[in-house]
Amino acid sequence: MHIHDVLAELGHRMGLNVALDEQGVCRLVFDERFAVDIEASPDNDTVHLYSVLCPVPPENKEPFYERLLEANLFGGDTGGAWFALDGAHGEVVLNRTLKMTDTDYRDFADLLEAFVNHLEAWSDKLAGGELNESTDAPAVDRAASDAMSGFIRA
């Protein structure tokens, strides 16, 4: 399905005018807290969802990055999205890529909702100080471990 059609349907259901701007980007804000950018490739076949999670902390970076990298493993604690560092802005970004040729409106809406839910969960972990604490043993997320139980590492 074409991204323009998906966004038009999303806007219709939300009662908003939702469309890409002249740069091919659309920003949606959820719960007045979470800004999610939707950016289409020039051919509109690929769409990127992304949102700034937080600035990079000035100290204790190693345990912070370690926790984010653990969450990235097989998308186990990120719902298939991943964390990246925007070095130019000193920010951690949660992002996900979608192939629109394989995505209909329902898929897009479900993926967007899951993306926002994971963004909220990680924002809450950050607000609770969970990502800034230095520990000797990494925290294990049982849901993430269960989600990865089907993968075989050789």
Side-chain angles (χ1 to χ4, degrees), residues 21-38:
D21 65 14
E22 57 278 352
Q23 283 85 34
V25 180
C26 172
R27 174 171 283 179
L28 297 175
V29 179
F30 297 90
D31 299 331
E32 299 180 5
R33 291 178 57 198
F34 306 109
V36 176
D37 291 311
I38 302 166

Side-chain angles (χ1 to χ4, degrees), residues 2-25:
H2 197 276
I3 186 60
H4 297 287
D5 298 328
V6 169
L7 292 178
E9 179 65 22
L10 182 65
H12 175 74
R13 292 180 185 225
M14 295 173 72
L16 300 170
N17 181 18
V18 179
L20 299 174
D21 65 14
E22 57 278 352
Q23 283 85 34
V25 180

Side-chain angles (χ1 to χ4, degrees), residues 79-136:
W82 64 91
F83 294 109
L85 173 64
D86 180 345
H89 294 100
E91 297 171 326
V92 174
V93 178
L94 181 65
N95 57 89
R96 179 161 190 166
T97 301
L98 309 174
K99 286 292 194 189
M100 291 309 296
T101 54
D102 303 328
T103 305
D104 63 14
Y105 170 75
R106 185 75 260 149
D107 293 334
F108 183 86
D110 290 346
L111 290 166
L112 180 60
E113 181 178 9
F115 184 86
V116 173
N117 288 341
H118 280 89
L119 180 61
E120 180 178 22
W122 281 96
S123 294
D124 290 347
K125 288 178 184 184
L126 184 65
E130 186 175 327
L131 300 180
N132 296 328
E133 296 175 1
S134 179
T135 60
D136 291 333

Side-chain angles (χ1 to χ4, degrees), residues 44-55:
N44 292 313
D45 285 343
T46 303
V47 171
H48 304 279
L49 306 177
Y50 56 93
S51 183
V52 173
L53 176 67
C54 63

